[in-house]
Amino acid sequence: MKVDVLLRTRDFDTDYRWVFRPDYVDQVMEEKMSFLIQMMQKFELKEFLTEESLHNIYYIYDENGSVLVRSGFSGSMDSQGRTIYAVEGLACPPEQNRIFWYALPYLIDRLSGNTLLRDRWMPGRKGTHQTTSRQLSFDTLTEECLFMEPGETGSMWQQMQDHSECMKKLMQDIQTSPDMFSFVYGTRGSSFYPCSVGSCYTPGELETLPVIHERQINTALHPVIGEENETYRIEIQIEPQGKRYGAFLLARDGQGEAVAETDKMTFGKDGIDLAQIEKARIALDKKLVSVGYNRGRRKER
């Protein structure tokens, strides 16, 4: 079985864009997936997303083509020192919706918790702007094995690792439901963010996680933030001052314009102390708050 690959991410110096996306994934479907992008941009969710996002797989059904998507942080950073994330997954055209539906347990099993597809395909694509298409082949996933009994040799169930009661329930619902429906297979009922899924399947070992809403996180839907235009980056400016040096932190917005700076710190040839830099960074944060920024992103006014 072959499926199309979805991948929206960035590299070191090129902003977020769709790297792989088949043509049938149109603007309507992109809007249905936009909550994943919004979710990854929320700083207050990062500690949860870092641990859990790869375990949350969303199936979004659409008559014009369906997608199985997730999001996650990579081990790479961009030119401004921010951790790069990816929204990625698998997709099928409308004529394959039904066969894709029956294959979902296997596809979820392959995606859940595993390393990002981004880490497999992004190296060597630095600076590539054009969106292309790409397919992923599952040679042992044949149409015949989809409908075998779980105990039969070569069945889809025998090829999977997740044999939890939750996965059994999902497979049963898929095989018996007259209609296809959107759902999330993952760690939480709300799965971090309100979205267009009607059901949640949560494996038992993930049901005892801390409750996020106790942190009073604002999850109201907002337009997707332009990563480059709405952030600031911090630079260290160093100037000679006789036998010593002066240094200050300078914050620039996404357009490269200076928005705030700290007072100068002086140091000798032995170098600047890290404690000085941290103290200056805290002072700069306070100045940035006064002009509408908070932790690297502009507040809405």
Side-chain angles (χ1 to χ4, degrees), residues 5 18-23 125 128-134:
V5 174
W18 285 104
V19 179
F20 301 130
R21 183 194 59 199
D23 293 338
R125 297 187 61 85
T128 303
H129 295 267
Q130 186 176 2
T131 300
T132 61
S133 59
R134 184 155 195 157

Side-chain angles (χ1 to χ4, degrees), residues 160-176:
M160 295 164 50
Q161 294 183 356
D162 184 351
H163 291 163
S164 65
E165 292 301 315
C166 182
M167 180 60 79
K168 289 180 182 178
K169 179 64 167 61
L170 172 62
M171 183 176 288
Q172 181 182 22
D173 290 350
I174 285 176
Q175 293 174 347
T176 58

